[in-house]
Amino acid sequence: MAMATSMTLNINTELADASTKDDVVSGVAWAVQDVTGMSWDATCDSLVTLTDNGSGSTGELPADLVTAQLANTKLNLVFDTTSGTNNRTADSSAIKMSGQAYIASLSITAQNRANSTITVNFTGTGALTMG
Amino acid sequence: MSYIKGQNLRLLVGAAGSEKCIALAEMCTLSINSQISDHSTKDTTGNFIENKVDGLSWEVTAESLVTDNWIHNGNITCTEQSGDLPIYAYPETFHLCAGDTVTAAAAYGGVTLYLFDANGIIAQETDDTLTYTATEDIDVALAASTNTVQILLKVKDNSSHSIQALFDYMENNTAITVNLSTTSGSKNRTLNLTLLFGSAIISSLSVNSPNRQDSTLSITLTGVSELESQFE
């Protein structure tokens, strides 16, 4: 993401209460949970720019994201440490994660006497995998 | 890489081809939302759910200070000036954008009224009432053939929307065009590049007037058709 200022990745485990009357230990009714599914989402904030810096390393521009959302495009997302020019080269580190997602919401805000910003929320579809 | 300053990214709204800024805007936001639902079935393997996009919606919001769109509306008299100005002139200069109007009416007959810019006289009337509509950004001042007459001077900002205009759109459930555009120029109202545009209705309009503070206007427009992208 070009000119990103922050990024958040959330991985959620959906739990369902599977407690029964059988689940009493020493007189205490502890809740028993079962995993029913997993989901993930991510958010990225960045400044609004119309052009990339022409350094040869490309970053997703707001225009690209709007186009993807309006076309219901499923995107490939990669979360990784980075280095290199403009800090855009993925390191394929031990914490690299990847998956596919849709853009759930995109907001462009233009506050007077501040930089215009864009916030993009991604909702994962399918697995988020490590490595 | 250059990024866009907030004051240079504005909403222009109105009838198609006649879109205007909202006067004294402080902030605008455009949001696009995807309706995503879980389409997982028993055929879905693994723990992660399978989501799909069922639809899209969008809306814009803007916040501004409340104005009646009068740059000047009251009686003045011209005073004797020195230098290059006409001898009897009103000392205040008004900045006009294209579409802004000036109306000056003398209290009695026989008075010639002049409107001039840095290069000289651009309008004059000898029947006591002068009217002028700016076709581009211009700084103007008023002069008269005498300093003893009271002149009703009205300078109107027509290059941005008034609350009345927005309320009329809302009351009539009128779908209007919304552009998110980069702007520049003297009041940041000159459209450079339209990034996103579509049709919307005004779904809410709020005026807030706290004591000892500026009154503010908040407006929300909900998209009623496709939002189109025009980034370059």
Side-chain angles (χ1 to χ4, degrees):
Chain A
M1 296 276 297
M3 306 200 83
T5 55
S6 75
M7 186 274 290
T8 303
L9 170 67
N10 297 308
I11 309 171
N12 310 297
T13 300
E14 279 135 40
L15 301 169
D17 186 354
S19 309
T20 70
K21 293 181 180 179
D22 295 344
D23 300 315
V24 174
V25 177
S26 302
V28 178
W30 289 97
V32 174
Q33 307 280 357
D34 271 348
V35 175
T36 57
M38 295 186 72
S39 63
W40 64 276
D41 57 81
T43 300
C44 187
D45 297 313
S46 59
L47 302 183
V48 176
T49 179
L50 298 182
T51 58
D52 213 323
N53 64 0
S55 70
S57 68
T58 58
E60 291 296 334
L61 299 175
D64 304 316
L65 298 168
V66 170
T67 299
Q69 185 179 20
L70 296 181
N72 296 338
T73 301
K74 195 179 345 182
L75 301 172
N76 295 316
L77 269 64
V78 175
F79 308 91
D80 200 356
T81 59
T82 55
S83 57
T85 305
N86 295 325
N87 224 5
R88 291 184 183 178
T89 305
D91 295 330
S92 287
S93 70
I95 62 168
K96 175 184 172 183
M97 286 179 277
S98 57
Q100 292 188 311
Y102 292 104
I103 297 177
S105 68
L106 181 152
S107 236
I108 298 173
T109 299
Q111 174 87 44
N112 192 36
R113 294 182 176 273
N115 295 321
S116 298
T117 58
I118 180 169
T119 298
V120 186
N121 293 303
F122 301 91
T123 296
T125 180
L128 182 71
T129 57
M130 285 206 74
Chain B
M1 184 185 308
S2 63
Y3 41 88
I4 303 173
K5 290 289 187 183
Q7 54 265 35
N8 296 121
L9 192 58
R10 300 191 73 160
L11 287 174
L12 288 82
V13 302
S18 303
E19 298 89 356
K20 299 181 188 178
C21 293
I22 296 170
L24 306 182
E26 295 183 309
M27 187 177 73
C28 67
T29 302
L30 181 143
S31 298
I32 311 170
N33 301 297
S34 303
Q35 278 93 47
I36 294 178
S37 61
D38 182 357
H39 282 241
S40 306
T41 68
K42 293 182 180 179
D43 293 346
T44 306
T45 56
N47 275 336
F48 283 94
I49 61 176
E50 292 282 344
N51 283 311
K52 284 195 177 174
V53 177
D54 296 322
L56 290 169
S57 63
W58 63 276
E59 69 173 28
V60 298
T61 60
E63 293 176 10
S64 66
L65 301 181
V66 174
T67 174
D68 58 6
N69 281 63
W70 286 111
I71 300 170
H72 188 282
N73 185 9
N75 291 312
I76 57 128
T77 52
C78 292
T79 55
E80 191 165 346
Q81 305 292 325
S82 60
D84 296 334
L85 296 175
I87 189 165
Y88 301 116
Y90 186 59
E92 184 175 345
T93 300
F94 300 99
H95 180 81
L96 307 180
C97 297
D100 293 348
T101 56
V102 176
T103 306
Y108 54 77
V111 177
T112 301
L113 298 171
Y114 308 90
L115 199 66
F116 59 97
D117 66 2
N119 298 317
I121 295 172
I122 58 173
Q124 69 180 75
E125 283 295 335
T126 55
D127 66 352
D128 312 326
T129 302
L130 178 148
T131 58
Y132 174 80
T133 301
T135 57
E136 58 182 0
D137 285 6
I138 189 172
D139 293 315
V140 299
L142 184 75
S145 55
T146 174
N147 62 346
T148 60
V149 66
Q150 184 170 269
I151 301 168
L152 177 58
L153 176 61
K154 295 188 173 189
V155 184
K156 186 73 180 293
D157 174 357
N158 290 318
S159 54
S160 66
H161 277 301
S162 63
I163 288 184
Q164 181 66 55
L166 297 171
F167 178 77
D168 289 344
Y169 286 134
M170 189 174 185
E171 189 178 39
N172 296 320
N173 296 326
T174 304
I176 55 179
T177 301
V178 175
N179 297 338
L180 180 68
S181 305
T182 59
T183 57
S184 60
S186 58
K187 286 187 179 179
N188 266 329
R189 292 182 181 178
T190 303
L191 190 154
N192 292 337
L193 178 65
T194 294
L195 306 180
L196 294 159
F197 63 97
S199 289
I201 59 168
I202 299 175
S203 50
S204 75
L205 188 153
S206 292
V207 177
N208 192 25
S209 302
N211 192 36
R212 295 177 178 273
Q213 295 179 45
D214 295 326
S215 295
T216 56
L217 169 72
S218 296
I219 182 170
T220 300
L221 295 97
T222 300
V224 296
S225 71
E226 177 188 8
L227 182 70
E228 297 184 62
S229 170
Q230 200 169 274
F231 283 87
E232 288 185 5

